[in-house]
Amino acid sequence: MKILVILASYNGAKYIEEQIDSILKQESVSLDIMVCDDCSKDNTIEVLNKYKLNANVSINKREKGTGNAPRNFLDAILSLSDEFVNSYDFIAFSDQDDIWFPNKMFEAGKILRKEQSSLYFSNLNLWDENTNYKAVINKSYPQKKYDFLFEGGSAGCTYVFTNDFCLGLKKILKNTNYYDWELFSHDWFVYFYARTNGFKVSIDNNAYITYRIHANNSYGQVNKISISAIKERLKYIKNGWYFNHIKEFSAFITPNSVESKIYHLYTKNYFTRLYVLLRYNFELMRSSKKFIQFFIISLLPIRINKYV
């Protein structure tokens, strides 16, 4: 298997060397790493320069920062020529501060081939380095009919996809203004694209990645099971997380479809939202526990900054 790993970096000097080394130690695959640095202000580039002579690592420092990791990842996809994409079997995303198990990419590629799928994701081993708290983040719940309308698959750092899928994603990204998309999530966007275009998705109940949480994580804290994590999720909701994604995703959905109806009713008012939650209930999310949280949050009497 020949694999391209896209690694998004920004001020990651403390962790990035350990991550790159874990990627280079992947077993039974041929692998290249394309680092896209988002104008780091620390000594990340100095650390990356240690790999200048490594033919499997390319270092790309952006002249102008994208502002966050999701844009960095998708800008990287857009920068790839079709010929370059087709020279690889699979493409994967990587964060700068995780640690990969040596068999991560081989197992992902094996499942993609065995199941003839286009997109793969898996569970994660969460590690809070400040408290040494460890847990498995379970993302391997079975797919539900409308789950893609309100959630992504797993953390993007577990995503691996075929070259054909990458080319299709690149094509749709050319016409997607994700820079003006408030609270944009590349994890959710990629999963939404896969489901709405009929791509087969493989979900691995194993975990081949240590997902590190630290003080400077952009999104990692949200994945913890704690009071602070719940408060962080509520902050996202109040800032219009679901409403804004519905506004943007609606452009990719067939008018008058069931999916379009669900989005319309969820955003119309409190009572139509309640109808959607009762009518489609556990078809809306893969995890029953997550749906119950979603149900409660959706009906909380809190003021939400709606973008729709």
Side-chain angles (χ1 to χ4, degrees):
M1 302 176 208
K2 191 175 181 184
I3 299 165
L4 174 67
V5 177
I6 300 173
L7 192 158
S9 69
Y10 177 72
N11 290 351
K14 185 177 180 180
Y15 307 105
I16 198 167
E17 185 172 3
E18 185 175 16
Q19 169 64 330
I20 290 177
D21 288 346
S22 76
I23 297 173
L24 291 174
K25 290 176 183 176
Q26 294 299 295
E27 300 170 346
S28 305
V29 297
S30 173
L31 180 146
D32 293 321
I33 304 173
M34 184 177 81
V35 182
C36 297
D37 187 75
D38 213 26
C39 300
S40 291
K41 296 177 174 61
D42 65 354
N43 62 325
T44 296
I45 295 298
E46 292 178 28
V47 176
L48 291 173
N49 284 338
K50 297 179 181 180
Y51 300 92
K52 287 180 80 171
L53 298 180
N54 190 316
N56 298 110
V57 181
S58 61
I59 303 166
N60 305 276
K61 184 174 181 179
R62 299 190 181 283
E63 294 182 3
K64 182 180 179 182
T66 67
N68 57 46
R71 293 174 187 162
N72 195 355
F73 279 122
L74 299 190
D75 275 13
I77 293 289
L78 283 172
S79 73
L80 305 176
S81 70
D82 291 1
E83 293 75 18
F84 185 74
V85 171
N86 280 323
S87 68
Y88 292 92
D89 298 304
F90 306 113
I91 292 85
F93 290 144
S94 167
D95 291 341
Q96 64 184 357
D97 44 13
D98 299 329
I99 305 169
W100 285 10
F101 293 11
N103 60 336
K104 178 184 185 299
M105 293 309 308
F106 176 75
E107 294 298 333
K110 184 173 70 174
I111 288 176
L112 281 164
R113 284 181 168 175
K114 180 181 179 181
E115 299 184 2
Q116 296 186 324
S117 301
S118 297
L119 174 66
Y120 161 101
F121 60 81
S122 70
N123 291 340
L124 309 91
N125 294 305
L126 180 146
W127 171 41
D128 187 332
E129 68 168 14
N130 297 314
T131 63
N132 204 36
Y133 171 81
K134 297 179 181 179
V136 174
I137 303 176
N138 188 0
K139 298 290 187 177
S140 58
Y141 301 102
Q143 287 180 314
K144 298 298 177 68
K145 190 171 184 178
Y146 303 112
D147 63 0
F148 60 93
L149 294 177
F150 293 99
E151 64 177 347
S154 179
C157 55
T158 71
Y159 283 13
V160 184
F161 40 92
T162 63
N163 52 14
D164 285 344
F165 183 88
C166 184
L167 291 175
L169 181 62
K170 176 185 168 187
K171 185 175 181 180
I172 199 170
L173 286 174
K174 289 179 180 178
N175 299 309
T176 304
N177 187 6
Y178 50 86
Y179 269 75
D180 290 336
W181 186 323
E182 296 286 343
L183 309 174
F184 178 75
S185 166
H186 70 295
D187 308 351
W188 191 353
F189 185 88
V190 172
Y191 184 63
F192 183 94
Y193 168 72
R195 293 297 307 279
T196 54
N197 286 275
F199 288 104
K200 187 175 180 181
V201 179
S202 289
I203 306 173
D204 194 344
N205 61 6
N206 295 297
Y208 304 106
I209 180 173
T210 298
Y211 185 68
R212 191 198 315 249
I213 290 180
H214 52 86
N216 297 323
N217 270 117
S218 297
Y219 305 103
Q221 300 292 339
V222 180
N223 288 300
K224 291 177 65 177
I225 303 172
S226 65
I227 297 298
S228 61
I230 292 172
K231 288 181 178 178
E232 193 67 22
R233 291 190 197 104
L234 280 173
K235 186 171 76 174
Y236 271 87
I237 303 307
K238 290 180 71 174
N239 286 335
W241 173 260
Y242 288 114
F243 288 92
N244 191 59
H245 278 79
I246 286 172
K247 171 192 171 186
E248 302 293 348
F249 279 138
S250 292
F252 299 96
I253 291 177
T254 304
N256 301 317
S257 63
V258 176
E259 292 85 353
S260 178
K261 176 183 176 183
I262 290 172
Y263 270 169
H264 172 69
L265 293 176
Y266 185 87
T267 56
K268 187 177 180 180
N269 61 54
Y270 184 92
F271 298 103
T272 56
R273 183 153 61 251
L274 176 61
Y275 169 80
V276 166
L277 295 170
L278 293 175
R279 168 65 176 82
Y280 299 99
N281 54 75
F282 295 102
E283 292 182 300
L284 299 176
M285 287 193 169
R286 297 192 307 279
S287 163
S288 297
K289 289 182 179 179
K290 187 172 180 181
F291 171 74
I292 293 170
Q293 291 178 9
F294 174 66
F295 186 100
I296 295 170
I297 289 172
S298 294
L299 299 178
L300 283 176
I302 57 177
R303 183 171 180 174
I304 300 173
N305 298 319
K306 297 182 181 179
Y307 297 92
V308 294

